[in-house]
Amino acid sequence: MRTQRTRFAMSVAVCAVGALTLASCSGESSTDDPATTSVAGSSSSAQSSGAAADGLGAPVTGDALANAVTLDAVVEHLEELTSIAEANGGNRAAGTPGYDASVDYVSGLLRDAGFDVETPDFSFDSYDLRSNSLRAGDREVPSNAFPYSPAGTVTAPLVVAPTDDTPGCEATDYDGLPVTGAVVLVSRGSCPFAQKGIVAADLGAAAVVVANNEDGPLDAGTLGSKADARIPALGVSREDGAALAAGGGEVTVAVDSETTTTTSRNVIAQTTTGDTDNIVMAGAHLDSVPEGPGINDNGTGVAAVLESALRMGGAPQTTNAVRFGFWGAEELGLVGSTKYVEGLSDDDAAALALYLNFDMVGSNNPGYLVYDGDDSDQEGAPAGPAGSDAIERTFEERLAAKDADGTDFDGRSDYGPFIERGIPAGGVFSGADDIKTEEQAARWGGTANEAFDPNYHTPEDTLENVNRDALAVNSQAVAYGIGTYAESVTGPNGVPVGEQRTAARQSQ
């Protein structure tokens, strides 16, 4: 899952999409507790691919596919991803041999299982931050450079932008202030970090510092692309921002960084059977961060989706066609999925009934979370496109025994580009760097007041630190959602079809 926070970052450049223009989708639900469903059994990679060529041997349903996915088989995929990382410098990051080996592993199994498979490439800007610093007088202020921040050292007066409803988002926010040549301090909120930097740069600022609007450091964020990064840009905590504003005077901003253009690939696989006017799509990002092997983030999502595909087989008895996407460069800004969705024609996008996203499903201190498609939690982003509420219900019903919580569509994973295109989305999630509450720990176990995944984006994101119980429950939930919508995209938990779909997407 993308955090937008440290040494490598994000951007988008040119994409040779070559996207498959295929189709499939469907939906019904069950309240069976996946924790009580059998997760015994084993399946080697060779066994998985061979058996999956014949699929389930029966019509695909949510329950049938969920019951076919075993914990042992999912773990074997994670063992292979671990071996790939160990053989390639300890990671599977985009643009590295470890990522290429991951693509070969996933695409090879899917081809052997009878899927139509493509591995379209795309180019992107990767960001290498060597160091950054912020000094105010004789004090070193903790800071984080935003990905794509240009290199440079600036010593200049600090100018504080007023904190209003749109801080630093409009040129008028700086009326009467001596911005030219200054370092601008602005509060987080209301508009993207890149916009704050562009507005300040257009007014002649030499650098921008963004203060968090909540407690803690501002270590998640990006300028989005090399093209949008005009001046050095740092993030600081709310407390340090307040101290800087009170102190005034000169500050020194220093960033040592480099942006390079790299090529990576997605894996796109589709069944050869099913209705291609109602394509069900499921996806997971295949890359890790450079700091570690990425076995929970996002080996677990990949393994669950991959095993679901292999159990289904490339020519299943299913109502709707099913397409699988394994995304490159998610950790660098949702690049692979974004370029894929941008490359879809209007007709191709209209054929996608829905998109199911699975990013981290075996966190060490797990939560049981379902994307909040109807915005019933009233937090963060608004409701997803029409049908996202139904997808939420499907997973809530599957995880009824866990009493799952909603989690916001906060834009940090690959559902983002699909939602922007008006395609309903949903999925399950075991949590990243957010903190588990005492109430959640009482319901689900684990440790309150600690991150759902304390190993997130570190070298300790290993198979040993994956919670097997959560992985078992969520892997079968992944398969259940895919199988449910492969069988039908209509019904109580269905999504818009035909003219209703067209009208719903035109109204977005």
Side-chain angles (χ1 to χ4, degrees):
M1 169 166 283
R2 181 181 67 141
T3 187
Q4 312 146 301
R5 83 177 181 186
T6 52
R7 294 175 28 229
F8 275 67
M10 326 155 191
S11 183
V12 181
V14 183
C15 176
V17 177
L20 291 167
T21 56
L22 323 171
S24 163
C25 196
S26 102
E28 288 180 15
S29 53
S30 165
T31 57
D32 289 347
D33 179 5
T36 65
T37 302
S38 171
V39 292
S42 63
S43 169
S44 69
S45 298
Q47 290 170 332
S48 291
S49 60
D54 296 326
L56 292 171
V60 173
T61 67
D63 285 328
L65 191 58
N67 291 338
V69 169
T70 69
L71 177 61
D72 285 353
V74 172
V75 168
E76 286 187 7
H77 295 307
L78 296 180
E79 290 172 342
E80 183 62 29
L81 295 176
T82 296
S83 296
I84 288 171
E86 289 174 345
N88 291 281
N91 70 75
R92 300 179 301 101
T96 69
Y99 181 75
D100 289 339
S102 301
V103 168
D104 293 342
Y105 173 69
V106 170
S107 61
L109 288 181
L110 291 167
R111 285 192 181 97
D112 289 346
F115 286 89
D116 287 334
V117 180
E118 294 183 1
T119 57
D121 60 19
F122 58 89
S123 61
F124 63 95
D125 291 334
S126 62
Y127 182 69
D128 181 15
L129 174 65
R130 291 181 280 266
S131 66
N132 66 266
S133 63
L134 173 61
R135 296 193 63 84
D138 58 359
R139 178 179 173 238
E140 182 78 23
V141 180
S143 63
N144 295 283
F146 292 111
Y148 297 111
S149 170
T153 299
V154 175
T155 299
L158 185 72
V159 171
V160 182
T163 300
D164 56 16
D165 291 338
T166 59
C169 299
E170 302 168 355
T172 54
D173 291 337
Y174 296 98
D175 284 352
L177 296 176
V179 175
T180 302
V183 174
V184 168
L185 174 65
V186 60
S187 178
R188 178 183 188 178
S190 183
C191 66
F193 299 113
Q195 183 174 338
K196 295 177 188 289
I198 290 169
V199 169
D202 285 347
L203 293 173
V208 60
V209 176
V210 181
N212 208 348
N213 57 4
E214 57 188 32
D215 291 340
L218 182 47
D219 56 4
T222 178
L223 300 183
S225 71
K226 181 179 179 180
D228 289 336
R230 306 278 190 84
I231 54 179
L234 302 178
V236 299
S237 69
R238 176 164 59 184
E239 297 78 7
D240 285 327
L244 285 168
E250 282 194 342
V251 298
T252 298
V253 170
V255 177
D256 182 8
S257 64
E258 181 180 15
T259 301
T260 56
T261 300
T262 308
T263 299
S264 189
R265 294 180 288 167
N266 293 323
V267 178
I268 308 296
Q270 186 164 307
T271 59
T272 60
T273 54
D275 179 9
T276 55
D277 288 332
N278 286 299
I279 300 172
V280 177
M281 188 163 193
H285 77 84
L286 186 53
D287 61 319
S288 75
V289 293
E291 289 82 0
I295 300 306
N296 185 42
D297 183 17
N298 181 37
T300 54
V302 166
V305 173
L306 176 60
E307 187 59 19
S308 298
L310 298 180
R311 293 303 98 208
M312 176 181 286
Q317 297 182 49
T318 184
T319 304
N320 302 303
V322 183
R323 186 180 302 172
F324 296 93
F326 298 88
W327 309 117
E330 186 269 1
E331 297 290 2
L332 307 182
L334 316 183
V335 182
S337 58
T338 297
K339 300 312 291 183
Y340 174 79
V341 173
E342 288 177 349
L344 294 173
S345 70
D346 289 343
D347 287 345
D348 294 339
L352 288 179
L354 55 81
Y355 173 69
L356 305 177
N357 190 72
F358 304 105
D359 189 351
M360 303 175 66
V361 296
S363 301
N364 185 262
N365 184 33
Y368 292 90
L369 307 169
V370 174
Y371 288 118
D372 184 18
D374 60 2
D375 196 28
S376 57
D377 293 349
Q378 294 292 297
E379 292 183 4
S388 301
D389 55 341
I391 299 171
E392 180 184 7
R393 289 195 301 272
T394 293
F395 287 112
E396 285 178 334
E397 291 168 9
R398 176 66 192 185
L399 297 178
K402 295 296 182 183
D403 191 16
D405 281 348
T407 186
D408 187 44
F409 281 131
D410 59 8
R412 288 176 59 178
S413 195
D414 292 299
Y415 52 76
F418 291 88
I419 287 175
E420 289 180 8
R421 197 72 184 264
I423 297 166
V428 297
F429 175 44
S430 58
D433 50 351
D434 286 338
I435 303 301
K436 179 180 280 188
T437 67
E438 292 183 1
E439 189 274 335
Q440 289 171 330
R443 260 189 295 156
W444 302 327
T447 306
N449 302 313
E450 290 190 6
F452 289 113
D453 187 354
N455 308 298
Y456 176 62
H457 283 198
T458 73
E460 286 70 47
D461 184 6
T462 63
L463 182 53
E464 290 73 20
N465 287 323
V466 168
N467 185 295
R468 302 295 179 95
D469 292 339
L471 181 63
V473 170
N474 285 325
S475 292
Q476 292 194 325
V478 169
Y480 179 81
I482 294 168
T484 293
Y485 287 108
E487 183 184 11
S488 174
V489 292
T490 59
N493 289 343
V495 299
V497 297
E499 293 181 358
Q500 288 183 333
R501 178 183 301 165
T502 300
R505 296 188 186 180
Q506 288 177 345
S507 67
Q508 297 262 60

